[in-house]
Amino acid sequence: QYAKTYYEKSLNLRLDHFGKDYSSNGALYNNLGVLYDDVGDHKRAIEYKVHALSIYLDQFGHNHPKTAMVYNNIGVSYDQKGDHDEALRYFNQALQLRLNLLKSDHPDILGSYNNIGLCYYGKGEYNKALNYLSKALEIREEIFKNDVPDIARSYTNIGLLYYKKKNYPLALKNFKTSEDKWSTIFDKNHPRLAIAHRQIGQVYQKQNKYTDAVHEYQEALKDLNYKGIDSLGLVNDLNQLIETLNVFADVNIELYKHKSSIKYLTQSLNTNSETIFIIDNILDEFSLDSRLLTQKLRKAIIEDIIYANKILHQKSDESSFLEDAFLYAERSKSLVFYQSLQESDALKFAGVPDS
């Protein structure tokens, strides 16, 4: 907020003295656009960046790295706005200029390949995404060998693409390479390692290798410093904890369905109960959008708890399981009402009518 205020004041001073199209205003308009992206106002970000582009076109012409930079930055705004087609139009303009102006292994070309790849990923066009992200990774590994975090992220992104394409062996290979890279940067007990272990576990789960999946999820929980509800104060990332507990409970349900052993259903029930406790105690700390997403996850978890309690009641004939199922069913009904209020508040905040 301070930086945005500073740039706005600086821009207004220049506008007063030199006019709207003063050549040095281009950088200010661009930087303000980036800051508006950071606060989620992509419409205003695009307005500022488009004006920066017009200034740079007058100042430098079309074939200039700074002009390419602004084309790329406008693409970022459209991508964050969810308009992937318009984002691609600007990303491709930036890439073509950079290919004409720069060496083939220049960092800006790497950035363009990466942005286009991620944009195609957002569109669900995974083969095109894989093509561009692979080009970006190739440059990173050849020229920027010491940039381990970005190389690790590249392997993660490519792993996610193969996961979406249901090519689980290649997804696993890329996730494991990413985990190896992160392990050279962080010791144990870091959220980034937890994400890597969880992603590997999810591949194993898709391959029906449930024991391996359980091991990876347990490693992820260790990386998050989680040893049960009493250790919540030591957890280094509560969002990642919720996601990891969710998949850990899910794999135990899968194990129950395949092995018909009550211990897995009980483990799933206990894990889901812990997750609900955590969500209910930290939900107010999340942003509105995160709260809405977490509430939807909470609803799905409650449905799994009800399912587990019903099965355990059938197996044991203990009334406590049926009582718990009923109580959670009532909580689920309350959640639907609460969620509708939250969504209504969000729409009103955004200026959108309810109907």
Side-chain angles (χ1 to χ4, degrees):
Q1 185 64 39
Y2 176 80
K4 182 162 69 68
T5 302
Y6 169 80
Y7 279 121
E8 285 175 338
K9 286 182 178 179
S10 180
L11 177 61
N12 288 331
L13 284 172
R14 292 195 186 193
L15 292 177
D16 289 341
H17 286 280
F18 301 107
K20 186 177 182 181
D21 297 320
Y22 178 57
S23 60
S24 295
N25 288 344
L28 281 175
Y29 277 114
N30 178 72
N31 292 341
L32 271 169
V34 171
L35 290 171
Y36 274 110
D37 272 332
D38 289 342
V39 297
D41 191 346
H42 304 304
K43 181 179 178 181
R44 186 168 292 187
I46 291 167
E47 291 173 358
Y48 276 106
K49 291 178 186 180
V50 166
H51 199 77
L53 178 62
S54 68
I55 293 173
Y56 279 161
L57 285 170
D58 288 341
Q59 185 178 3
F60 302 112
H62 183 71
N63 294 308
H64 194 279
K66 287 189 176 181
T67 306
M69 174 197 69
V70 184
Y71 274 121
N72 179 79
N73 290 349
I74 296 172
V76 169
S77 295
Y78 276 112
D79 195 37
Q80 292 180 357
K81 188 170 176 277
D83 189 343
H84 300 305
D85 290 329
E86 195 66 10
L88 280 171
R89 188 167 75 85
Y90 282 97
F91 283 150
N92 278 310
Q93 285 179 296
L95 175 61
Q96 290 309 311
L97 285 175
R98 287 168 169 175
L99 288 171
N100 291 333
L101 295 166
L102 307 170
K103 292 182 179 180
S104 61
D105 58 3
H106 193 279
D108 287 351
I109 291 176
L110 184 161
S112 283
Y113 284 144
N114 195 67
N115 287 341
I116 293 171
L118 292 175
C119 199
Y120 275 123
Y121 179 88
K123 280 170 62 69
E125 297 185 30
Y126 302 129
N127 289 331
K128 290 180 179 178
L130 183 59
N131 177 44
Y132 283 98
L133 291 178
S134 296
K135 289 179 179 179
L137 176 59
E138 184 179 346
I139 295 174
R140 280 197 172 111
E141 292 199 306
E142 286 184 4
I143 310 299
F144 305 102
K145 294 178 181 178
N146 294 325
D147 190 3
V148 179
D150 278 342
I151 291 173
R153 290 188 190 95
S154 286
Y155 276 108
T156 296
N157 290 336
I158 291 173
L160 288 169
L161 282 169
Y162 280 120
Y163 186 84
K164 289 287 188 181
K165 285 163 61 68
K166 299 183 179 180
N167 188 333
Y168 299 125
L170 284 179
L172 186 62
K173 178 181 177 182
N174 281 276
F175 285 149
K176 283 189 171 183
T177 303
S178 177
E179 194 269 333
D180 288 342
K181 299 290 182 184
W182 288 118
S183 295
T184 65
I185 304 172
F186 303 117
D187 293 328
K188 288 289 184 181
N189 301 37
H190 191 279
R192 188 58 258 186
L193 291 172
I195 293 170
H197 282 297
R198 188 177 70 242
Q199 288 169 333
I200 293 169
Q202 287 174 291
V203 176
Y204 281 135
Q205 191 171 342
K206 287 292 186 181
Q207 294 177 316
N208 298 330
K209 297 179 179 179
Y210 300 117
T211 302
D212 291 332
V214 166
H215 172 74
E216 293 297 332
Y217 296 152
Q218 288 173 334
E219 288 298 307
L221 291 171
K222 289 178 186 177
D223 289 329
L224 295 167
N225 292 326
Y226 185 71
K227 298 177 182 178
I229 291 296
D230 292 339
S231 67
L232 269 184
L234 302 174
V235 171
N236 50 38
D237 192 315
L238 289 170
N239 280 309
Q240 294 304 326
L241 174 62
I242 289 170
E243 291 192 35
T244 305
L245 287 173
N246 183 47
V247 293
F248 184 59
D250 184 62
V251 75
N252 275 285
I253 288 179
E254 292 293 321
L255 277 164
Y256 165 72
K257 290 177 179 178
H258 282 79
K259 297 190 175 184
S260 300
S261 174
I262 291 298
K263 70 176 183 179
Y264 298 117
L265 198 59
T266 303
Q267 178 65 68
S268 173
L269 178 60
N270 292 339
T271 302
N272 276 327
S273 298
E274 289 178 20
T275 309
I276 292 297
F277 177 86
I278 294 166
I279 290 174
D280 288 348
N281 280 274
I282 67 170
L283 193 62
D284 289 342
E285 300 176 17
F286 293 169
S287 67
L288 181 58
D289 286 344
S290 294
R291 285 203 302 273
L292 292 173
L293 289 173
T294 305
Q295 288 287 18
K296 290 177 181 177
L297 174 61
R298 185 181 184 275
K299 184 175 183 292
I301 293 171
I302 287 177
E303 289 172 357
D304 285 343
I305 290 174
I306 294 169
Y307 165 81
N309 273 303
K310 284 181 177 179
I311 298 296
L312 288 168
H313 170 69
Q314 292 170 6
K315 298 287 185 181
S316 66
D317 203 31
E318 289 186 22
S319 60
S320 60
F321 291 119
L322 200 58
E323 290 168 4
D324 285 346
F326 176 78
L327 289 172
Y328 274 103
E330 290 301 307
R331 291 175 72 174
S332 183
K333 290 176 185 176
S334 300
L335 172 62
V336 170
F337 176 69
Y338 175 76
Q339 188 173 322
S340 69
L341 288 177
Q342 290 274 22
E343 290 173 347
S344 177
D345 287 345
L347 291 171
K348 288 175 183 176
F349 182 78
V352 179
D354 291 342
S355 59

